[in-house]
Amino acid sequence: MANEALRRRRDAQRWTQAQVAERVCAQVQAATGRDPELDANWVSRLERGAITWPSGEYRAALCVVFQVANEAELGLYPKGSAAPEERPAAETPPDDVRSLAADTELSARLTRHAAETNVNALVLEEFDADVERLARDFVSRPLSLLVPEIRTARTEVFRLLEGRQQPSQTRHLYVVAGWLSGLAAHVSLDLGDRSAAATHARTVVQCAEISEHSPLRAWARSFQSLAAYWAGDYRRAGDLAQAGQSEGRGPGTGTIKARLLSLEARARAAEGDNRSALRILALAQEARGAAGPDELPGVFSFPEAKQWTYAGTTLLAVGGDEQIRHAISASDRAVELYQAGPEGERSPGDLQAAHLDLATAYLASGEVEGAAAKLSEVFTAEGYTASITIRLRNLAALLGSEPYRGAQSAVSLRAHIHEVTVRPALASNPTESR
């Protein structure tokens, strides 16, 4: 006996049999993680009555797709029982019973609506694994390989967010979207596109607000502080780093507080507030001692070597013979830690930044040859991030000032810096902007 109830409901939606099959497959896959590979022929067999009682997961999926309370409304019934049209008509219930039934149907519809989801635990787990892998690989893998992967993952997450999930799943997807947008922001800043980096960073902030995820929000502020620093807006860089320490429920228990304090110290020193810079730098060291494990590795963590690099830059900006000596010690410690670490976790850009700080410190001490030795460690790279290029040009400007301007060694170093900084923007060896 043909299933006219199912056919009528399909016609009312103006769906083809193939479209019904696609929707049922999607629902089953979201609920079970398995692709049933149903097609139009399967729906045709249902409508012809060749199948009257499909498996439980298919019946549940059909009820969700057509938004009905039970299988009977779709003309489905177990073998051996009477078809819905053959069952004796029930007596018309009284008004109060019909009202109660209507209220019950509303609750059933809400239950079905709440249960609808286009993701499951396995999908979320896979996204988490992708974010962790990309964050770790970002430190040392070529950008040309990572950028397509980051874009593909972001596109898929955004597509899922346009659908329907349970509230906890939606929050989880926004956290994933936030971290992936953070990677996109770093790509843009490394390539010198500050406008694109700012757009991506605002997306990270929005995702953090929606998901109420404190570590993501704090990291977003650290990135905005970083971008402001390299744009030369040191006061804003310091204020953003400070805001990241206090917004929401705080920055979290990982190394993010040490990162934010280190960023603030560097920014305060750059704007000339040396007393605050040294005080905050000491707080950053205390935060390092109290830090717990980070939620994510790689570019989203703040290794000890990076903190020593930031300390060296801060102390150089403070200036004075004593602080320059401390800056040399801090940068030497950063280089030592980077070179001793696993190759896959070694950031070329971080190492370059430490060498450039050492070169600057030696130059400030009048040791041009010492500066040249440290610069030679940087000149071998095939390309640089935007921030390393800025550091090199600042060093060239220093070499062009008194008392170095006329020295032949200084002239040669300036020419070499000019040669390496006119290369195309970095496209093969990514690193976090310094």
Side-chain angles (χ1 to χ4, degrees), residues 83-432:
E85 291 84 351
E86 298 173 358
R87 295 172 188 167
E91 294 182 5
T92 302
D95 290 344
D96 57 343
V97 174
R98 287 202 301 271
S99 177
L100 181 62
D103 287 342
T104 304
E105 170 61 14
L106 285 174
S107 292
R109 286 174 60 188
L110 177 59
T111 300
R112 292 194 302 274
H113 180 86
E116 287 184 32
T117 177
N118 58 359
V119 299
N120 56 36
L122 289 176
V123 171
L124 296 174
E125 184 179 333
E126 184 63 30
F127 276 128
D128 289 341
D130 285 344
V131 169
E132 182 174 339
R133 175 180 56 79
L134 289 168
R136 182 179 289 108
D137 289 350
F138 196 94
V139 175
S140 56
R141 274 187 71 195
L143 268 183
S144 57
L145 297 179
L146 288 175
V147 169
E149 292 186 48
I150 294 169
R151 183 182 298 116
T152 298
R154 290 180 76 219
T155 300
E156 181 62 16
V157 172
F158 293 167
R159 184 188 67 79
L160 289 173
L161 281 169
E162 291 175 348
R164 180 180 297 158
Q165 310 87 33
Q166 296 173 11
S168 62
Q169 294 171 328
T170 301
R171 285 193 296 272
H172 195 142
L173 285 174
Y174 272 112
V175 172
V176 171
W179 290 126
L180 290 171
S181 296
L183 292 174
H186 260 305
V187 170
S188 298
L189 194 60
D190 281 353
L191 297 179
D193 192 339
R194 293 175 187 162
S195 176
T199 298
H200 291 309
R202 286 191 292 271
T203 301
V204 180
V205 173
Q206 183 70 9
C207 289
E209 294 293 338
I210 293 172
S211 61
E212 298 181 337
H213 194 276
S214 295
L216 179 60
R217 181 192 289 110
W219 183 88
R221 294 306 184 202
S222 78
F223 179 84
Q224 290 177 316
S225 172
L226 183 73
Y229 177 86
W230 289 114
D233 192 346
Y234 302 127
R235 173 160 296 184
R236 184 166 184 269
D239 291 346
L240 283 165
Q242 188 178 61
Q245 301 166 48
S246 58
E247 288 181 340
R249 291 171 290 180
T253 58
T255 59
I256 183 63
K257 186 172 182 180
R259 182 199 288 264
L260 288 162
L261 286 165
S262 297
L263 284 163
E264 185 183 0
R266 187 172 70 168
R268 300 305 182 203
E271 66 173 320
D273 188 353
N274 294 341
R275 179 176 297 180
S276 293
L278 293 174
R279 176 181 59 80
I280 297 167
L281 198 60
L283 292 175
Q285 288 295 334
E286 292 178 12
R288 163 66 58 182
D294 286 308
E295 181 174 331
L296 288 169
V299 73
F300 294 123
S301 67
F302 190 61
E304 184 182 359
K306 185 191 293 292
Q307 187 162 347
W308 282 112
T309 302
Y310 277 40
T313 307
T314 302
L315 294 167
L316 273 177
V318 171
D321 292 344
E322 181 183 1
Q323 299 305 338
I324 288 175
R325 287 195 297 273
H326 290 325
I328 291 173
S329 296
S331 298
D332 275 334
R333 179 59 176 158
V335 170
E336 177 186 335
L337 289 171
Y338 280 127
Q339 291 179 336
E343 185 175 354
E345 298 176 10
R346 196 177 302 158
S347 166
D350 283 327
L351 198 52
Q352 290 165 4
H355 281 305
L356 287 172
D357 279 343
L358 283 168
T360 304
Y362 282 126
L363 198 58
S365 302
E367 300 180 35
V368 179
E369 296 305 320
K374 296 303 175 183
L375 277 169
S376 67
E377 302 284 347
V378 179
F379 287 154
T380 57
E382 294 181 2
Y384 307 107
T385 62
S387 61
I388 294 298
T389 300
I390 291 172
R391 284 177 181 268
L392 282 166
R393 288 173 177 164
N394 288 343
L395 194 55
L398 185 58
L399 286 164
S401 64
E402 297 296 344
Y404 315 107
R405 181 179 299 174
Q408 183 57 46
S409 56
V411 172
S412 297
L413 284 175
R414 287 184 66 200
H416 202 159
I417 290 173
H418 175 74
E419 178 186 343
V420 300
T421 54
V422 295
R423 295 171 182 168
L426 176 69
S428 60
N429 288 322
T431 176
E432 182 178 358

